[in-house]
Amino acid sequence: MRAGDGRWQAPIFALARKASETFSGSSSHVLAKVAEPTSFVNEWSAQALRDPMSMERTNLLNMAKLSIKGLIESALSFGRTLDSDYPPLQQFFVVMEHCLKHGLRVKKSFLGYNKSLWGPLEMVEKLCPEAGEIAASVRDLPGLKTPLGRARAWLRLALMQKRLADYLRLLITRKDLLSDFYENSAVMVEEEGAVIVGLLVGLNVIDANLCVKGEDLDTQVGVIDFSMYLKNDIDDYRSEERNGQIAAILDQKNYVEELNRQLNSSVHGLQGRVDNLEKSNSKLIEELAIAKNNIIKLQEENHQLRNENTIILMKAQQQLVVTQVDVDVELDTFKKSRQGLDEMYNEARRQLREECQLRQDVENELVVQVSMKQEMDLAMKLLEKDIHEKQDTLIGLRHQLDEVKAINVEMYSKMQTSDDGMKQKNDMITRLEEKTNQITATMKLLEQRLQEVDRDRWTAEDGARKFKQDFVNKADSLQKQVAQREKQRLQLETDLKIEKEWQQTLQNNLEKERDIVAQLSAEAQQINGLKKEFHRLQDENSQLTGVCDEQEQALEELGCKLSESKLKIEDIKEANKALQGGQIWLKDKDSNICKLCEKEFSISRRKHHCRNCGEIFCNACSDNELPLPASPKPVRVCDTCHALLLQRCSSNAT
């Protein structure tokens, strides 16, 4: 058996026993039919004449039952390992060949008519990809030349693979594909085919070791040997009892093997956990040793830093004393030189004040002259504005004159054109002439005024020229005085620059001394920082010692947990031993109904054992999987055990 089919062993044996019970009933029914009188034979022949295909199907079904029953019984008594020379196995293949040939359609080809099993069996490869390996190996066999030989080899390989029932089930479910190969009344198309496929499930308990290459499968003659199935009732009864005992022993053996395998897997898992804990313990010990080494190194570095800190403090104090003496000497010299410079600076400052006073007087005179010049400019601007206004009035009067002339021209033209209104217009002309005379008189007066204004402007311009000449002469004299004062000011500024440079050099010296003092203060701050770093290293050292203590406590706790886990492993082993000895595995023949729903078992409703209580249930009442103490992997349990185990797990978790 395969390792993955371990949990299906008990249901398969139950199905095999169920099939053997049904087979015994069917075989007795067939023997009773053989012993019936001729009247029943006549009725049977009449029924066969009415529907011969149905009778063939029933006969093939009964023969399939007998062959499968005989094969399972002989395999259980023989040791469940069969080879190709075993007679019941050969008869089984012959019966399966007849069942697959029943109702097979005849197909035309170039060489004639062809009737082969290889066509429908080859279609299984398309329905199930796993069957592709069998089909490929059958095609690669060198000794097979006919389709019938390939079909026989395919049946033998599927039986060795223990997938014959699965492959044929997939094939009979596709009626649309079978209709191309079989007639409507064939065994594989009707219900008898489904029954035969269900019976083939019992063959999964058989291990077959068949050599397909050495057999001549093309020329074998498929004849059913009925002598193997004609036995007396006493032998049948004894064989049934013996088979039942063998099946019960095998069930118990398989269950015990499964429990042992599950216990071994759980023990291996616990041993792996213990190994992992030991590895983690060793790693923690190594880390603790590394941490201790690091603490020792940090203590050494701390001691070195303390020594360096004391040396730096001594050097800094010596440098501070030396620099303090130098600073005091330089301060005395600076104070002495500062007194002489202050006296010179006071004299230069007094002279500068006098010069500034003289310069202020000259600037006041210049301001007075500038104000006078601004007043003259304002008077000139006012005169120019008046002249411009009068010129604008003259231009306006001239425009009026031009308009009057234009009006006169228009009136004259109108006068010539209109003779009737001549008298009235003459009066208007006289009036207009009077007005023009008045306007000309006013224009003459304005021209006279303009001439007077021009005269006044000329006189003002002459006065301004004279004033400008006087102002220029005074400005030249003042500029000469200012130039003299500027020369004196430049001399004083050069003296001041020299004094400032001397003062700047003194300030630079002071700044250098201040920089030295700042450097010394920075070094003092660095020393304070080193002190803080030393205190911080002390704190880290204390923290590391605390961590080391915590790790030692954790190692002690891990050692306690390891001892507890070892004790738990021993308790689990004792519990597994108690479970192995105390659990009752109910036999399949002791129960025909489900314990929960009380429905009767059949081919469609199969029996299933609960791996916790050992009772028998249907698939609907035991469709649950949970890991048990005996198995780390999830196994089948009933609904009641499922609820109890979940309640127990929840109570343990709380």
Side-chain angles (χ1 to χ4, degrees), residues 541-554:
N541 190 6
S542 61
Q543 289 178 0
L544 288 171
T545 53
V547 171
C548 183
D549 295 333
E550 290 177 358
Q551 287 179 355
E552 287 178 354
Q553 291 177 1

Side-chain angles (χ1 to χ4, degrees), residues 396-435:
L397 289 170
R398 284 175 183 172
H399 283 301
Q400 288 179 0
L401 242 169
D402 293 333
E403 290 176 356
V404 169
K405 287 180 181 179
I407 291 166
N408 288 328
V409 171
E410 290 177 357
M411 292 298 292
Y412 183 74
S413 62
K414 287 180 180 179
M415 219 165 74
Q416 288 179 355
T417 55
S418 60
D419 294 333
D420 296 331
M422 197 70 168
K423 292 178 181 180
Q424 295 176 359
K425 290 180 180 180
N426 285 325
D427 296 332
M428 290 175 71
I429 288 165
T430 54
R431 291 173 185 173
L432 288 170
E433 286 178 353
E434 289 176 357
K435 287 181 180 180

Side-chain angles (χ1 to χ4, degrees), residues 357-483:
Q357 187 66 35
L358 293 170
R359 186 175 180 180
Q360 188 69 33
D361 295 335
V362 173
E363 287 179 354
N364 290 327
E365 291 178 359
L366 282 171
V367 168
V368 171
Q369 294 293 329
V370 170
S371 62
M372 289 175 69
K373 185 179 179 181
Q374 288 177 355
E375 289 176 358
M376 291 296 292
D377 291 333
L378 287 171
M380 290 293 290
K381 287 179 181 179
L382 290 171
L383 288 171
E384 287 177 356
K385 279 185 179 180
D386 292 333
I387 291 165
H388 287 302
E389 288 176 357
K390 289 176 181 179
Q391 286 178 354
D392 292 333
T393 53
L394 283 171
I395 290 165
L397 289 170
R398 284 175 183 172
H399 283 301
Q400 288 179 0
L401 242 169
D402 293 333
E403 290 176 356
V404 169
K405 287 180 181 179
I407 291 166
N408 288 328
V409 171
E410 290 177 357
M411 292 298 292
Y412 183 74
S413 62
K414 287 180 180 179
M415 219 165 74
Q416 288 179 355
T417 55
S418 60
D419 294 333
D420 296 331
M422 197 70 168
K423 292 178 181 180
Q424 295 176 359
K425 290 180 180 180
N426 285 325
D427 296 332
M428 290 175 71
I429 288 165
T430 54
R431 291 173 185 173
L432 288 170
E433 286 178 353
E434 289 176 357
K435 287 181 180 180
T436 53
N437 292 324
Q438 291 176 0
I439 289 165
T440 53
T442 54
M443 285 179 68
K444 287 177 180 179
L445 290 171
L446 289 171
E447 287 177 354
Q448 290 175 1
R449 288 178 183 176
L450 182 61
Q451 289 175 359
E452 290 176 357
V453 168
D454 290 333
R455 289 172 186 172
D456 294 332
R457 183 171 61 80
W458 290 338
T459 55
E461 286 178 356
D462 293 333
R465 287 192 193 96
K466 291 177 181 179
F467 178 75
K468 283 180 180 179
Q469 288 177 358
D470 296 333
F471 179 74
V472 167
N473 294 324
K474 288 181 179 180
D476 291 333
S477 63
L478 288 171
Q479 283 179 358
K480 289 178 181 178
Q481 292 177 1
V482 168

Side-chain angles (χ1 to χ4, degrees), residues 513-578:
E513 291 173 357
R514 287 174 185 172
D515 292 333
I516 292 166
V517 173
Q519 288 177 0
L520 292 172
S521 62
E523 288 178 357
Q525 289 178 359
Q526 287 179 358
I527 291 165
N528 293 324
L530 289 171
K531 288 181 181 178
K532 291 179 181 178
E533 184 70 21
F534 175 69
H535 291 303
R536 187 178 65 78
L537 289 172
Q538 285 182 347
D539 295 333
E540 287 181 357
N541 190 6
S542 61
Q543 289 178 0
L544 288 171
T545 53
V547 171
C548 183
D549 295 333
E550 290 177 358
Q551 287 179 355
E552 287 178 354
Q553 291 177 1
L555 286 172
E556 290 176 358
E557 292 176 357
L558 284 172
C560 295
K561 287 181 180 179
L562 279 172
S563 60
E564 290 176 0
S565 63
K566 288 180 180 178
L567 292 173
K568 286 181 181 179
I569 289 166
E570 292 177 357
D571 294 336
I572 289 166
K573 288 180 180 178
E574 291 176 359
N576 287 330
K577 289 179 182 178

Side-chain angles (χ1 to χ4, degrees), residues 234-475:
I234 296 168
D235 294 334
D236 292 336
Y237 180 73
R238 290 178 181 175
S239 63
E240 287 177 1
E241 289 182 353
R242 186 173 64 255
N243 292 331
Q245 294 175 358
I246 292 168
I249 291 167
L250 289 173
D251 289 340
Q252 292 177 0
K253 180 185 175 183
N254 291 322
Y255 181 65
V256 169
E257 288 177 354
E258 186 177 358
L259 284 177
N260 287 326
R261 186 167 56 254
Q262 291 172 357
L263 288 172
N264 289 325
S265 62
S266 62
V267 168
H268 285 304
L270 291 171
Q271 286 179 356
R273 291 179 185 175
V274 170
D275 294 334
N276 291 326
L277 288 172
E278 289 177 353
K279 289 179 181 178
S280 62
N281 190 5
S282 62
K283 287 180 181 178
L284 287 172
I285 291 167
E286 291 176 357
E287 289 177 357
L288 180 61
I290 292 166
K292 288 180 178 178
N293 293 326
N294 290 328
I295 289 166
I296 293 165
K297 289 179 181 178
L298 289 171
Q299 288 176 354
E300 292 176 356
E301 290 178 357
N302 192 0
H303 185 66
Q304 290 177 0
L305 288 171
R306 284 181 180 178
N307 295 327
E308 290 177 358
N309 192 3
T310 54
I311 293 165
I312 290 166
L313 282 171
M314 294 292 290
K315 289 180 179 179
Q317 288 176 358
Q318 292 175 1
Q319 288 179 359
L320 281 172
V321 171
V322 173
T323 52
Q324 189 68 35
V325 173
D326 295 334
V327 168
D328 293 334
V329 173
E330 289 179 358
L331 281 173
D332 293 333
T333 55
F334 177 71
K335 286 178 181 179
K336 291 177 181 179
S337 62
R338 181 75 179 273
Q339 290 176 359
L341 289 171
D342 289 335
E343 292 175 357
M344 291 172 68
Y345 180 70
N346 290 324
E347 290 178 359
R349 193 171 182 181
R350 184 175 56 76
Q351 292 177 2
L352 183 64
R353 284 177 183 174
E354 292 176 357
E355 294 295 331
C356 288
Q357 187 66 35
L358 293 170
R359 186 175 180 180
Q360 188 69 33
D361 295 335
V362 173
E363 287 179 354
N364 290 327
E365 291 178 359
L366 282 171
V367 168
V368 171
Q369 294 293 329
V370 170
S371 62
M372 289 175 69
K373 185 179 179 181
Q374 288 177 355
E375 289 176 358
M376 291 296 292
D377 291 333
L378 287 171
M380 290 293 290
K381 287 179 181 179
L382 290 171
L383 288 171
E384 287 177 356
K385 279 185 179 180
D386 292 333
I387 291 165
H388 287 302
E389 288 176 357
K390 289 176 181 179
Q391 286 178 354
D392 292 333
T393 53
L394 283 171
I395 290 165
L397 289 170
R398 284 175 183 172
H399 283 301
Q400 288 179 0
L401 242 169
D402 293 333
E403 290 176 356
V404 169
K405 287 180 181 179
I407 291 166
N408 288 328
V409 171
E410 290 177 357
M411 292 298 292
Y412 183 74
S413 62
K414 287 180 180 179
M415 219 165 74
Q416 288 179 355
T417 55
S418 60
D419 294 333
D420 296 331
M422 197 70 168
K423 292 178 181 180
Q424 295 176 359
K425 290 180 180 180
N426 285 325
D427 296 332
M428 290 175 71
I429 288 165
T430 54
R431 291 173 185 173
L432 288 170
E433 286 178 353
E434 289 176 357
K435 287 181 180 180
T436 53
N437 292 324
Q438 291 176 0
I439 289 165
T440 53
T442 54
M443 285 179 68
K444 287 177 180 179
L445 290 171
L446 289 171
E447 287 177 354
Q448 290 175 1
R449 288 178 183 176
L450 182 61
Q451 289 175 359
E452 290 176 357
V453 168
D454 290 333
R455 289 172 186 172
D456 294 332
R457 183 171 61 80
W458 290 338
T459 55
E461 286 178 356
D462 293 333
R465 287 192 193 96
K466 291 177 181 179
F467 178 75
K468 283 180 180 179
Q469 288 177 358
D470 296 333
F471 179 74
V472 167
N473 294 324
K474 288 181 179 180

Side-chain angles (χ1 to χ4, degrees), residues 81-91 93 156 160 208-215 217 220:
T81 303
L82 308 178
D83 53 4
S84 58
D85 295 333
Y86 193 61
L89 186 60
Q90 292 178 355
Q91 287 299 312
F93 286 127
R156 283 159 175 76
M160 284 194 291
N209 187 8
L210 307 176
C211 183
V212 183
K213 289 183 180 180
E215 293 187 8
L217 300 176
Q220 285 183 2

